[in-house]
């Protein structure tokens, strides 16, 4: 139970980071923190219900997170290469 | 154990969102991930604990650090808000969210933890493998498609199309000479009688100092260099060079007065002559 609340707190911190940070890489790290918090909830629920399904899901989340990091960082690199900035405020080309 | 993990991970996560430098954020994220790995170990998930350390702190964070180094370590967040009151409202939203989550969890009737002693009877890895290859085998197969897509996507995104043909070696060398600037490698620093430190400029054959031989970042900080070279007795390295050049000049003038074969027999070139001049 304690661990579920810890994961809720970590998830909220990650969401706050996504909302207030401007650097795309840091925003990305906060997304990672949210995924990790969700994993912690999965693992503690698995222990609560006494089977391993939650751990399997957490394992899949880790795989998805790793793939997401690869693609996301490649996108950040591409944006940085074309506009010399990694701030999310500058990437507003789709707005107009 | 829980309190140790909580006390380490929550301040680290908070520090992550308030640290202004991206490198600090990455290192604090590493702290959070390691403490979460400890939490997995405590929660009877040893396999996930190791995967967390290997995949997250090992691979993902190193990737983050690589990208931070590529994008520029010095880039810090600006403190100017583009949307007015954004931080305030983000804080209020976060507070509301955490209150909502904790109230919801408090209302839920969660069973007491049953523990995984039964499920982990044959070993945690064996139990996970049995589930992955039976109940979740389709998700497992789809994961392989995801990984291939991610690898392809990263390659496509990181690829840069070549717009001009690759220059041949002939063209490269012609370009180097046509620019009219120093076609040869730059002279190395410190090829100089008394000192061979990287911030000591090289002497050219005519006794002048070669500015090209010292990295401009190092050469531009004389106040630092003075404290580094205690053997210069308070002189800056330029003064030391000037003294030695004067000594060399004196020696060569004396050498020219001597008969010609004598100077040739010394066989020294500039450095040998210089050492003689100092004696």
């Amino acid at each position: 139970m304690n661990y579920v609340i810890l994961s809720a707190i970590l998830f909220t911190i990650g969401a706050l980071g996504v909302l207030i940070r401007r650097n795309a890489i840091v925003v990305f790290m906060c997304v990672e923190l949210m995924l990790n918090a969700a994993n912690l909830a999965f693992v503690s629920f698995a222990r609560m219900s006494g089977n391993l399904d939650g751990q399997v899901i957490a394992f899949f989340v880790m795989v998805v997170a790793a793939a997401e990091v690869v693609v996301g960082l490649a996108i950040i690199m591409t944006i940085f290469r074309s506009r010399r900035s990694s701030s999310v405020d500058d990437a507003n080309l789709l707005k107009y | 154990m829980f309190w140790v993990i909580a006390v380490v991970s929550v301040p680290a996560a908070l520090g992550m969102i308030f640290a202004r430098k991206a490198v600090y954020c990455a290192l604090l994220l590493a702290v959070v991930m390691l403490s979460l790995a400890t939490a997995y170990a405590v929660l009877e998930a040893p396999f996930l604990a190791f995967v967390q350390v290997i995949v997250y702190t090992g691979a993902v964070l190193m990737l983050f650090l690589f990208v931070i180094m590529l994008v520029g370590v010095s880039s810090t967040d600006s403190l100017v808000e583009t949307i007015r009151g954004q931080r305030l409202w983000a804080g209020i939203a976060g507070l509301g969210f955490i209150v909502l989550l904790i109230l919801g969890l408090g209302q839920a009737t969660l069973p007491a933890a049953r523990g995984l002693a039964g499920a982990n009877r044959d070993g945690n890895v064996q139990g996970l493998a049995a589930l992955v290859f039976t109940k979740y085998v389709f998700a497992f197969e789809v994961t392989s498609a995801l990984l291939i897509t991610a690898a392809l996507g990263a390659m496509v995104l990181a690829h840069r199309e070549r717009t001009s043909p690759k220059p041949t070696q002939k063209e490269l060398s012609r370009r180097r000479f046509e620019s009219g600037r120093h076609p040869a490698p730059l002279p190395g620093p410190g090829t100089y009688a008394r000192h061979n430190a990287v911030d000591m400029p090289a002497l050219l054959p005519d006794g002048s100092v070669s500015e090209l031989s010292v990295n401009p970042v190092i050469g531009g900080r004389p106040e630092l260099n003075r404290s580094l070279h205690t053997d210069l007795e308070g002189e800056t390295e330029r003064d030391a060079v000037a003294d030695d050049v004067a000594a060399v000049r004196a020696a060569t003038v004396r050498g020219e007065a001597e008969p010609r074969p004598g100077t040739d027999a010394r066989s020294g070139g500039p450095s040998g002559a210089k050492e003689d001049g100092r004696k």
Side-chain angles (χ1 to χ4, degrees), chain B residues 37-235:
Chain B
T38 325
Y40 295 160
V42 173
L43 289 172
E44 298 174 76
F47 177 68
L48 282 184
F50 279 104
V51 170
Q52 173 87 6
V53 173
I54 293 168
V55 173
Y56 268 115
T57 31
V60 169
L61 272 169
M62 286 311 112
L63 202 60
F64 268 117
L65 284 176
F66 263 115
V67 172
I68 290 171
M69 296 301 165
L70 281 174
V71 164
V73 197
S74 53
S75 66
T76 48
D77 258 9
S78 67
L79 287 176
V80 187
E81 286 185 319
T82 34
I83 308 170
R84 210 161 53 81
Q86 180 202 6
R87 265 174 222 162
L88 178 70
W89 287 109
I92 291 173
L95 207 66
F97 187 64
I98 189 74
V99 167
L100 190 70
L101 271 181
I102 288 178
L103 282 184
L105 284 172
Q107 293 291 313
T109 48
L110 293 168
R114 274 189 222 154
L116 288 171
N120 277 346
R121 200 174 42 249
D122 302 329
N124 182 247
V125 181
Q126 282 83 352
L128 281 177
L131 273 178
V132 166
F133 290 115
T134 55
K135 195 173 169 187
Y136 295 103
V137 72
F138 183 68
F140 184 68
E141 297 292 337
V142 171
T143 300
S144 68
L146 172 79
L147 287 179
I148 290 177
T149 317
L152 270 180
M155 276 193 274
V156 168
L157 284 169
H159 179 70
R160 201 187 312 205
E161 203 69 47
R162 190 179 281 285
T163 50
S164 57
K166 192 177 178 190
T168 61
Q169 199 169 9
K170 193 177 176 186
E171 284 168 351
L172 283 176
S173 95
R174 184 166 291 158
R175 205 180 293 164
R176 197 163 67 234
F177 277 92
E178 273 174 355
S179 71
R181 288 178 291 128
H182 221 290
L186 294 176
T191 49
Y192 169 55
R194 280 196 302 180
H195 304 277
N196 57 2
V198 285
D199 59 338
M200 296 300 289
L203 278 183
L204 293 177
D206 60 348
S208 60
V209 166
S210 170
E211 298 286 344
L212 282 173
S213 64
V214 181
N215 188 327
V217 176
I218 303 173
R221 300 164 75 184
E223 73 287 351
L224 183 71
N225 293 345
R226 192 168 304 158
S227 63
L228 285 179
H229 292 288
T230 48
D231 54 338
L232 288 185
E233 290 138 6
E235 308 169 295

Side-chain angles (χ1 to χ4, degrees), chain A residues 1-6 8-13 16-17 19-23 25-26 28-30 32-33 35-37 39-40 43-53 55-67 69-71 73-78 80-81 86 89, chain B residues 2 5 9-10 13-14 16-17 19-20 22 25-26 29 32-33 36 39-40 42-45 47-48 51-52 56 60 63-64 67-68 71 77 80-82 86-87 90 94 97-98 101 105 110-111 114-116 119-120 124 127-128 131-132 135-136 140 143 146 150 154 157-158 160:
Chain A
M1 187 61 209
N2 281 338
Y3 284 98
V4 180
I5 291 176
L6 175 64
I9 293 171
L10 287 181
F11 189 91
T12 314
I13 293 174
L16 261 180
L19 286 177
I20 60 177
R21 291 308 294 261
R22 223 70 62 67
N23 190 337
I25 299 175
V26 180
F28 221 67
M29 283 193 248
C30 291
E32 288 302 306
L33 181 63
L35 284 169
N36 268 284
N39 269 353
L40 181 62
V43 172
S44 53
F45 278 132
R47 188 161 177 270
M48 247 177 229
S49 58
N51 56 35
L52 289 174
D53 289 48
Q55 291 191 15
V56 174
I57 304 284
F59 179 63
F60 281 128
V61 171
M62 279 184 191
V63 176
V64 173
V69 165
V70 170
V71 177
L73 288 180
I75 292 175
I76 291 176
M77 280 306 300
T78 316
F80 180 78
R81 209 187 274 157
S86 63
D89 284 340
Chain B
F2 168 77
I5 294 166
S9 65
V10 171
L14 280 175
M16 195 186 111
I17 65 171
R20 289 196 57 208
C25 292
L29 185 62
V32 177
M33 293 200 167
L36 283 186
Y40 295 160
V42 173
L43 289 172
E44 298 174 76
F47 177 68
L48 282 184
V51 170
Q52 173 87 6
Y56 268 115
V60 169
L63 202 60
F64 268 117
V67 172
I68 290 171
V71 164
D77 258 9
V80 187
E81 286 185 319
T82 34
Q86 180 202 6
R87 265 174 222 162
F97 187 64
I98 189 74
L101 271 181
L105 284 172
L110 293 168
R114 274 189 222 154
L116 288 171
N120 277 346
N124 182 247
L128 281 177
L131 273 178
V132 166
K135 195 173 169 187
Y136 295 103
F140 184 68
T143 300
L146 172 79
L157 284 169
R160 201 187 312 205

